[in-house]
Every structure is written in C-alpha cells, then in structure tokens.
Amino acid sequence: MNMVQIPHAQGDDMGEETGKARLRSGYVGGILVLLVASLWLPTVAFDSHEAQRSFYLFLPSMGMAAIALCVLFVGGIHKGRMCLALGYIGASAALGLAFLWVPSVPNDAFESPEAQRLFYWHVPSAWMAMIAFGVLFVGSALWFVRRSALGWRLHVAGSEAGLATGLMAVWSGCLWGAAEWGVPWDWTDVRLNSFALLTLLALVLVLGRRAQPDGVESRDTFATAGLFGFVLVPLTYIATRIWQIRHPGPVIASGDGGGSLAPEMGALLGFAALSFTVLIVGHLMESVHLTSLEQRLDRLQGNLDVEATE
Amino acid sequence: MNGMTALALGYLGMLTALGVWTWTVMSRARDIERRLASTEAALGLNDGNVDPVLEDER
C-alpha cells in the first residue's frame, strides 16, 4: 500500500509545484505585457508631444515597479536579497542621475540650485524612514497585543532600518540646510526636531536591545517605547503644515492641486522614491529573516547548554 | 574645498554607507544560514520557525 501511496503523494506535490511555476510564469508574462503596453499606449492616448514626453519620463519608475513585483512573486526564499540588490542598483542610478542630470533643469523652487541634488537623497530617505517607523509600530503592537514572534521580528527590523534611514535623512538635511539656509540645524523648527527625536528613539531601541538580555519583560519595554514613539510620525508629517518655521512645506501632494516641481524633477523623485522603497522593503525582509535565524541559533545554543549540564 | 566637491564627497559617502549596510545584512544572513544548516544537520533538528523567548514563556 505504501509503495502505491508514496508515488501518488509525490505526484500531487509535483502537480502543485507545476501549478505554482505556471502561476509565476503568468505573473511574469502579465508584467511584460503591461510594460509593452505602457510603451505603446501613450502614442495612442496622448495627442500632445509634451504629454507623451512627460509620460515616458516615468517609464524607469514603471520598469522598477515591474521588476520589483517580479522579484516579490518569483524570487522564492531569496526575494529579500534580490529586492536589496535591485533597490541598491536603482538608488545608485537615481543618485547618479540626480548628481549629473537633473540640476540642469531650470527651476525656481530652491534658493541654492546646486544643492538641489540633495533633494533626491533627502526626500526618499525620509520616506524610507517613515516606512521603517510604520513597520516598527505594527511590530510593537503585534508583540504587545498578540505576543507574535513575527511582530517582534518586525519591531527589530523597523528599529534598525529606522535608525539607518533616519540618520540618512538627518545627515542630508544638515548638508542641505547649510547650503540653503546658511545653518545646518534650527532648534526652533518642529519638523527638524520631531524627526531627530524619532531617529533618537530608534537609536535607543537598537542600543537598548543589544545591552539587555532578550526576554519578555525587555521586549515589552521596547515595544511600549515603539508604540508611544510612533506619535512623533504624524506630528512630523503635519509639522510643516501647522508650524512652518524653517523647513519648507510640501512640494508634492500639497493638497492645493499643484506643486512647484518640473516634470523632470518629479520623474526623478518618483524613480528615487520607488528605488529606495524597494531597498527598504528588501532590508526589512532580510532583517526579519536574520532575526529568525539568530533566534534559531539561540535556541540551539540553549539546547546544547541543557544537554551539557545534564 | 568648494561646494561641489563637498557635495560629490557627500554623495559618494552616502552610496558607500548604503552599500556597506546592504552588504553587511546580506553577508550576516548568509553566514548564519551556513552555521545553522551545519549545526542543525549535525543535531538532526529541522523545526526552524521558533522564537526561544515565546517557547520559554509557554
């Protein structure tokens, strides 16, 4: 009986695998069709050459989104690493373009046009930091409410990514502030100081976790800090809308129906934001995986210690 | 040092820091995966997705 059942079970597995492979091929095929359509449709849909040009400027962003979706669906167990590599390549390309190409675009949005290059580094960094702090909040809540192992891994990933990206945004902001305002920091500006506090919170969480033995009580403490610290995220977001002291107000999604960005600048900012998003998603996925591996190592070490003492 | 040189250095530093951070995460994961695979194979263990702190609490 077993000799009959085992090949049958293997056949089912193989059928399931074939089905998954077909589904993945379907996703890849669908995305390729979308890419081809996106190249051809603008010539049909838009009469004006200018409108077509604006559309084509956003093609790198669509390409990045399509490749990232392919990676997420067909990347298998290494999709986190593939997202990391893809995001890093995209971020490098965006920063290279920002340094060499976009500053030639005439614009009146900045006092110091040369320092405009920092815009494509500073804004995506702050965007990544907001994603990381969002993940930190969700992870802290999941740990606190459900004692979820995944929640704790998300907390760890969010705090580490929040620290790195927060420092990137603060560092680029200081450089830009020095060029644009003549001073790198303004202690009276709410946006600057609330964002710095968020980065400081991430620093406290990362260093505190390394200094404390891992346990339920210490996790509860850090999760509470993560939960209450998240209050700073909406405060940071609305700060320039309520108290505009030094940091400029929003130049995109300002709510008044328009922004001050030229199409080329918007296209590059979009590409940079997308590439940095893929990078931070890859980092978060890989960090969750890494924490899970470290926990397995701890467990093995614990088992070995028990065996040694017995 | 003029402003453009400082900016170029800032950009290079940023790209290097991002690269180092990315590479560190990837190499740490690869290293722990290798160590785990060999240790678990030697001990005959295979249940991977367990959090030791939660296990202790139960």
Side-chain angles (χ1 to χ4, degrees):
Chain A
M1 287 295 282
N2 283 341
M3 287 179 71
V4 176
Q5 283 173 347
I6 290 168
H8 183 66
Q10 282 175 342
D12 280 352
D13 287 347
M14 284 174 68
E16 203 175 307
E17 283 300 311
T18 313
K20 279 182 186 170
R22 276 187 195 150
L23 193 64
R24 286 171 187 169
S25 308
Y27 282 127
V28 174
I31 286 165
L32 286 176
V33 168
L34 275 177
L35 264 180
V36 173
S38 69
L39 282 169
W40 172 69
L41 276 177
T43 58
V44 180
F46 303 127
D47 285 336
S48 137
H49 178 72
E50 195 60 31
Q52 281 184 30
R53 184 172 152 270
S54 290
F55 186 89
Y56 282 120
L57 278 172
F58 287 92
L59 276 182
S61 300
M62 283 192 269
M64 172 59 74
I67 298 171
L69 283 175
C70 278
V71 164
L72 286 174
F73 281 117
V74 283
I77 55 168
H78 295 304
K79 56 189 170 191
R81 273 172 223 182
M82 289 164 79
C83 274
L84 263 181
L86 179 66
Y88 184 69
I89 292 167
S92 304
L95 292 185
L97 279 172
F99 198 78
L100 300 170
W101 171 61
V102 158
S104 64
V105 175
N107 73 89
D108 53 1
F110 303 104
E111 292 291 325
S112 173
E114 296 294 345
Q116 185 228 131
R117 292 168 167 89
L118 286 164
F119 182 61
Y120 309 96
W121 159 10
H122 180 69
V123 175
S125 301
W127 167 244
M128 282 201 298
M130 290 302 164
I131 294 175
F133 289 123
V135 169
L136 171 66
F137 175 74
V138 171
S140 301
L142 278 175
W143 168 259
F144 210 77
V145 176
R146 292 192 181 175
R147 287 284 188 267
S148 156
L150 175 66
W152 181 250
R153 289 168 196 159
L154 286 173
H155 170 97
V156 173
S159 57
E160 287 178 356
L163 174 61
T165 53
L167 286 175
M168 279 164 58
V170 168
W171 168 238
S172 55
C174 286
L175 285 179
W176 200 3
E180 191 81 0
W181 310 324
V183 285
W185 198 263
D186 184 348
W187 291 106
T188 61
D189 190 286
V190 180
R191 162 69 69 90
L192 266 58
N193 291 298
S194 62
F195 193 87
L197 274 177
L198 263 173
T199 309
L200 197 63
L201 170 77
L203 178 70
V204 167
L205 291 178
V206 170
L207 292 183
R209 210 173 41 247
R210 290 185 182 177
Q212 299 278 328
D214 194 15
V216 173
E217 291 82 8
S218 63
R219 286 188 184 189
D220 282 347
T221 308
F222 294 130
T224 310
L227 281 173
F228 283 104
F230 188 77
V231 173
L232 289 166
V233 170
L235 178 71
T236 303
Y237 182 73
I238 60 166
T240 53
R241 287 172 165 82
I242 300 176
W243 312 279
Q244 193 170 350
I245 298 165
R246 183 81 79 159
H247 193 286
V251 289
I252 46 170
S254 51
D256 56 7
S260 53
L261 293 183
E264 285 87 348
M265 296 171 69
L268 185 54
L269 182 65
F271 178 62
L274 204 60
S275 302
F276 277 78
T277 303
V278 174
L279 182 74
I280 196 68
V281 167
H283 261 293
L284 290 166
M285 288 166 73
E286 203 56 20
S287 185
V288 165
H289 178 58
L290 195 60
T291 310
S292 153
L293 294 179
E294 283 170 350
Q295 287 172 344
R296 279 163 68 180
L297 259 185
D298 283 351
R299 185 169 52 86
L300 280 179
Q301 186 65 52
N303 288 347
L304 285 172
D305 288 348
V306 169
E307 280 178 20
T309 50
E310 282 172 357
Chain B
M1 189 163 63
N2 68 17
M4 281 306 291
T5 314
L7 206 56
L9 285 176
Y11 258 82
L12 281 176
M14 165 77 181
L15 276 175
T16 311
L18 259 183
V20 168
W21 181 38
T22 303
W23 181 254
T24 306
V25 169
M26 286 168 87
S27 60
R28 261 177 75 198
R30 269 204 307 267
D31 181 48
I32 294 183
E33 269 173 3
R34 252 186 253 123
R35 282 165 57 197
L36 260 177
S38 57
T39 314
E40 287 186 337
L43 292 171
L45 297 172
N46 59 4
D47 57 334
N49 199 22
V50 179
D51 183 340
V53 168
L54 282 178
E55 255 195 341
D56 289 347
E57 203 186 24
R58 283 184 200 119

